[in-house]
Amino acid sequence: IYNLLRALPDADPNLRYTVFAGPQGDPPEHARMAVRRARWRTERPARRILWEQIAQPFAVQRAKPDLLHGLAFVSPVLNRVPSIVTVYDLSFVHYPERLPASRRLYLRLLTRWSCERARRVIVISRSTAHDLTGIFGIPAHKIDVALPGVSELFVPLPEAEVAAFRAEKSLPERFILFLGTLEPRKNLPVLLRAFAQLPAAERETVHLVLAGGRGWMTDEIFATIERHDLGATVHLPGYVPGDELPLWYNAAETFVYPSIFEGFGMPVVEAQACGTPVIVSSVSSLPEAAGDAGVQLPPDDVGAWADALHRAISDLAWRADMRARGIAHAAGFTWARTAAQTVASYRAALDANRRDTENLT
């Protein structure tokens, strides 16, 4: 959201914006972007929902915008301004157990209602657009795709800097990287079983690093590591701060993402931008993220994953080719493009509102 807001003013010099932010927020500054801060602290979901549905309609009424953009799934029920809403994924439908019942119900009811009422709906992948049509019945012609951008920080880094980072983190010289929350939809037991099928010499030469905070139902991950005696070659460093991500991608020899569901899969494109070859699942939005610059595999085919890992470890020419293709592919994911696609959606919504007004008169 921050990167989108930063890029929006340059996408159309004729539009002005009002950003509603909490007291803890730090939105970008621009002459055509006014910031109105809520008095409520909205870090906790319950307080954010209360502000969203009770206080925000009055703030919108005072601001008198031509269009309200709900940047995260829902718009206020009492809103009387034409609206657009962004939906990132329907994980709360596919994986309802991840959320408390109250938040799950709020998102399911209000996301559908907000999409039905909105002039346009923005999604970050064609996969999410398909979900909205198939699950919520939102007409496909009403949905616009605005692919996310990749920060300019994700680039190939000097080898000396990367080597110093490996030493600082006590990382192996060669390793395959997964980065994300450790939870069932990331499909890590399949990756671990594939890694276990590699010859012992390959596992000892190139380790596997599963970086990210623990989510829920992680027992199978650790049981798989123990069952296949992978403790010496599989590393779990825990949560990775955002400012370290470019170094982690650069330090890895290959990036793997066996997830079975993603709204988009930003780590895939971030890794490509850093020059790291990627291997991903061929489901959900991941083919959109990786494009033809990444290897796509059935998420449940352990043998195919084992073969791909073997090639990534042993085939230097393959790694060089995928590195070049990945950098070229990731270069197309810019926040300027995201902003342009978002503004196009704004214009379509405003034109529809203008036509409705003319019809009434």
Side-chain angles (χ1 to χ4, degrees):
I1 290 173
Y2 177 89
N3 284 309
L4 172 63
L5 292 177
R6 189 179 62 168
L8 273 177
D10 292 334
D12 189 327
N14 297 312
L15 294 179
R16 302 181 65 86
Y17 299 90
T18 298
V19 178
F20 299 106
Q24 75 280 7
D26 188 24
E29 296 182 1
H30 194 278
R32 286 186 286 108
M33 187 169 282
V35 177
R36 299 195 180 191
R37 295 190 179 277
R39 297 177 183 176
W40 305 12
R41 297 196 67 84
T42 55
E43 298 99 324
R44 294 184 178 180
R47 291 180 65 86
R48 181 185 59 77
I49 288 171
L50 286 173
W51 181 86
E52 197 167 65
Q53 294 300 329
I54 296 174
Q56 188 181 15
F58 295 100
V60 172
Q61 187 176 6
R62 288 192 295 271
K64 295 183 173 63
D66 297 300
L67 188 67
L68 175 66
H69 185 177
L71 284 162
F73 300 95
V74 304
S75 298
V77 172
L78 298 178
N79 171 54
R80 298 183 179 279
V81 173
S83 66
I84 279 183
V85 64
T86 293
V87 177
Y88 300 97
D89 59 53
L90 294 188
S91 59
F92 54 89
V93 175
H94 291 285
Y95 296 91
E97 60 272 20
R98 296 182 63 209
L99 295 171
S102 58
R103 288 182 61 195
R104 186 168 67 240
L105 181 63
Y106 177 78
L107 281 173
R108 188 169 187 122
L109 293 179
L110 269 295
T111 299
R112 180 197 292 268
W113 182 88
S114 298
C115 291
E116 289 173 345
R117 189 181 183 189
R119 297 283 182 171
R120 308 293 301 172
V121 178
I122 296 176
V123 296
I124 62 171
S125 68
R126 288 184 292 276
S127 175
T128 299
H130 183 267
D131 269 1
L132 279 178
T133 300
I135 297 173
F136 284 170
I138 307 303
H141 65 78
K142 186 179 177 177
I143 302 173
D144 301 317
V145 178
L147 298 172
V150 173
S151 166
E152 60 274 10
L153 298 176
F154 293 97
V155 294
L157 297 174
E159 182 52 42
E161 184 179 355
V162 176
F165 177 77
R166 285 197 198 96
E168 176 192 343
K169 299 295 182 181
S170 300
L171 292 169
E173 180 63 25
R174 299 179 64 188
F175 66 91
I176 294 165
L177 175 67
F178 163 84
L179 197 151
T181 304
L182 308 186
E183 60 182 1
R185 71 184 173 101
K186 301 301 183 181
N187 200 30
L188 294 177
V190 166
L191 175 63
L192 288 165
R193 292 198 294 272
F195 186 66
Q197 287 190 5
L198 298 177
E202 287 191 358
R203 297 200 308 271
E204 291 167 4
T205 302
V206 181
H207 290 195
L208 176 62
V209 174
L210 307 179
R214 289 196 188 189
W216 56 286
M217 292 178 64
T218 58
D219 289 352
E220 187 180 356
I221 295 171
F222 295 96
T224 305
I225 292 172
E226 184 176 355
R227 186 181 310 120
H228 295 282
D229 194 23
L230 299 175
T233 55
V234 174
H235 307 264
L236 294 100
Y239 173 76
V240 173
D243 59 355
E244 291 184 1
L245 289 177
L247 284 160
W248 281 91
Y249 292 132
N250 273 271
E253 192 164 281
T254 304
F255 181 77
V256 290
Y257 215 56
S259 180
I260 57 176
F261 180 80
E262 295 293 329
F264 181 71
M266 282 303 301
V268 174
V269 188
E270 291 171 348
Q272 289 177 321
C274 292
T276 304
V278 301
I279 304 171
V280 304
S281 292
S282 58
V283 296
S284 186
S285 63
L286 292 175
E288 298 176 58
D292 61 4
V295 175
Q296 302 173 26
L297 303 172
D300 56 352
D301 191 335
V302 176
W305 280 89
D307 290 343
L309 294 178
H310 169 72
R311 185 177 189 184
I313 291 170
S314 60
D315 193 336
L316 182 62
W318 176 86
R319 293 201 302 272
D321 178 54
M322 297 305 289
R323 171 184 171 86
R325 289 164 61 181
I327 291 173
H329 174 71
F333 291 83
T334 67
W335 286 108
R337 185 181 72 166
T338 309
Q341 292 169 331
T342 302
V343 164
S345 191
Y346 291 167
R347 288 297 183 191
L350 291 169
D351 287 346
N353 185 50
R354 190 174 300 113
R355 287 194 300 271
D356 287 352
T357 302
E358 290 171 353
N359 289 337
L360 289 173
T361 57

